[in-house]
Amino acid sequence: MTETKNTNSTGQAMMRMTIGIVVLAVLTAVLYFAAPDSFYPWAKAVHILAVISWMAGMLYLPRLLVYHADAEKGSVQSETFKVMERRLLRGIINPAMIVTWVFGLWLAWKGFGFHGGWLHAKIGAVLLLSAMHGYLAGAVRKFAEDRNEKSAKHWRIVNEIPTLLMMAIVILVVVKPF
């Protein structure tokens, strides 16, 4: 019964997330075609909101992995962490990363023509953040299969990487040092 309840709840969450993304895409398309001259600031706002969501998840997921690493395999606590990690990854982090990339690339093209050393460095840092995202997604898969071999200390260190990348990205965007 619990497994069915978790599966059903996850399915409902995925459906809500999918509907949310479709609504965002439709509203974005309507705005783009209805008022193309005023689309840029809206695209920037959506990009910033997606970045905030992506970063919230990227900062929280490694913290969950710290606690999960200390939980006994097969325990109620471990199973709860599995659900939390999967929902966070699939329902928030993955969609937010996609929206961040789509709008970010459009803004880089439309606003800067992909020119500027700061922009190239920023894209490099975002690629590293995306690689970290992939690493964490793999970790969630390993934890779900009770195959984690990393210590809580490892995950505490990993928890700092998104913060450092975020700091570099914000400085590059705001200061544009080169």
Side-chain angles (χ1 to χ4, degrees):
M1 167 114 175
T2 304
E3 184 65 35
T4 304
K5 182 180 176 185
N6 284 341
T7 303
N8 189 27
S9 178
T10 300
Q12 290 173 349
M14 295 304 290
M15 180 58 76
R16 286 191 305 270
M17 184 229 17
T18 302
I19 290 169
I21 290 174
V22 169
V23 168
L24 174 66
V26 168
L27 290 175
T28 300
V30 167
L31 182 60
Y32 181 77
F33 290 111
D37 294 338
S38 63
F39 183 71
Y40 189 85
W42 284 101
K44 195 185 292 188
V46 170
H47 177 68
I48 291 169
L49 291 169
V51 168
I52 290 168
S53 298
W54 187 23
M55 286 309 307
M58 292 293 288
L59 296 171
Y60 186 47
L61 184 56
R63 180 54 44 189
L64 285 176
L65 299 178
V66 168
Y67 300 133
H68 196 165
D70 284 338
E72 186 176 326
K73 290 178 182 170
S75 67
V76 172
Q77 186 179 29
S78 176
E79 297 305 310
T80 300
F81 282 126
K82 289 177 186 179
V83 171
M84 292 171 69
E85 292 155 3
R86 183 182 67 247
R87 287 183 180 173
L88 179 61
L89 184 65
R90 291 182 183 169
I92 296 173
I93 301 174
N94 289 345
M97 181 191 74
I98 292 166
V99 173
T100 296
W101 269 105
V102 168
F103 280 85
L105 289 173
W106 186 86
L107 290 165
W109 167 70
K110 187 70 173 176
F112 303 98
F114 288 107
H115 295 294
W118 70 270
L119 181 59
H120 299 154
K122 177 201 174 193
I123 291 171
V126 176
L127 282 168
L128 290 173
L129 187 61
S130 298
M132 174 57 56
H133 179 129
Y135 179 73
L136 292 174
V140 167
R141 208 168 15 263
K142 286 182 180 177
F143 271 102
E145 298 167 354
D146 289 325
R147 294 187 307 115
N148 173 55
E149 297 175 0
K150 308 289 185 190
S151 68
K153 182 179 179 180
H154 168 82
W155 296 114
R156 278 189 192 90
I157 293 167
V158 166
N159 192 49
E160 303 307 321
I161 297 170
T163 302
L164 296 173
L165 288 168
M166 176 186 61
M167 290 167 55
I169 292 165
V170 168
I171 289 168
L172 287 165
V173 170
V174 174
V175 179
K176 294 179 179 60
F178 45 87

